[in-house]
Amino acid sequence: MITGRRYQAVTIGCSAGGVHALGMILSALPKSFSLPIVVVCHVAAGGNGLLAELLAGDCMLPLKEAEEKEPILAGHVYVAPADYHLLVEDNHTFSLSMDPKVAYSRPSLDVLFESMAETYGENLIGIVLTGANEDGSHGLKTIREYGGVAIVQEPRSAYATIMPKAAIDIAGADFIEPLQTILSRLISLSEVML
């Protein structure tokens, strides 16, 4: 049950069309948004720092590329670096991995989502946006199995439908919404208290 819970973190994953989708959400978040947000977007291996730089320009929250052993701070946005899997440890710090690609991707949504589900349990909000492969569907399923909340972009509103459709088919979702209402959903969930 969603009511009466205090969420501790948000994770967002996307691929094709994801930079635009992320920009729409992150640029509209208020400075008062208090949950940390951890993002995986499939980017080219040589693109270190570029995604964070693109997104930081319009985001009112502190936004940066995640680093090894870095603590996760409230109200900050962290982006997975290119060509590394991003994981969250039990002590709420990041670790980076060069393990093989998952669903043809590194960083992988599945890897991040599963590690965050293990760390945050029912206090996690997972979001799958537009994308052109099935990465994230199994990770979102893990988030739901741990009691977290799953939000998926309505496939017909996505630039690429494969990722959100696979997430719905494999994981299901608590909310399936167009991009325009995901922001308000995220803000309302972040205000849910014990």
Side-chain angles (χ1 to χ4, degrees):
M1 184 159 177
I2 291 169
T3 56
R5 192 182 309 171
R6 181 175 177 86
Y7 295 98
Q8 296 176 353
V10 178
T11 186
I12 304 175
C14 56
S15 182
V19 175
H20 173 73
L22 285 169
M24 284 185 64
I25 292 172
L26 296 177
S27 65
L29 285 172
K31 275 186 181 180
S32 60
F33 190 82
S34 61
L35 303 182
I37 301 173
V38 186
V39 175
V40 163
C41 181
H42 296 165
V43 293
N48 275 350
L50 182 59
L51 179 60
E53 188 177 318
L54 282 170
L55 295 173
D58 293 323
C59 184
M60 289 188 282
L61 300 174
L63 189 154
K64 67 183 298 292
E65 197 168 84
E67 298 178 36
E68 179 77 20
K69 305 300 182 196
E70 180 176 15
I72 299 172
L73 302 177
H76 286 59
V77 181
Y78 301 93
V79 177
D83 208 30
Y84 286 92
H85 290 308
L86 181 62
L87 299 96
V88 173
E89 303 294 338
D90 289 343
N91 63 355
H92 296 189
T93 63
F94 291 116
S95 65
L96 302 177
S97 164
M98 288 289 293
D99 284 345
K101 293 180 178 181
V102 174
Y104 309 103
S105 305
R106 190 175 59 218
S108 162
L109 282 65
D110 282 334
V111 170
L112 175 63
F113 285 7
E114 288 165 7
S115 75
M116 288 193 72
E118 291 168 3
T119 301
Y120 290 99
E122 67 175 12
N123 301 309
L124 178 64
I125 301 168
I127 302 175
V128 172
L129 302 175
T130 176
N133 74 5
E134 296 186 358
D135 189 22
S137 55
H138 295 286
L140 195 68
K141 183 178 181 184
T142 302
I143 289 173
R144 298 194 80 206
E145 287 170 348
Y146 274 82
V149 169
I151 302 172
V152 178
Q153 183 176 359
E154 204 288 314
R156 288 173 298 181
S157 74
Y159 174 84
T161 63
I162 295 172
M163 186 173 280
K165 186 174 184 319
I168 293 164
D169 291 346
I170 293 170
D174 298 290
F175 304 100
I176 301 169
E177 300 182 322
L179 194 59
Q180 294 82 351
T181 61
I182 288 176
L183 174 70
S184 57
R185 176 72 62 191
L186 182 56
I187 291 172
S188 68
L189 286 173
S190 74
E191 295 168 351
V192 173
M193 305 290 278
L194 286 171

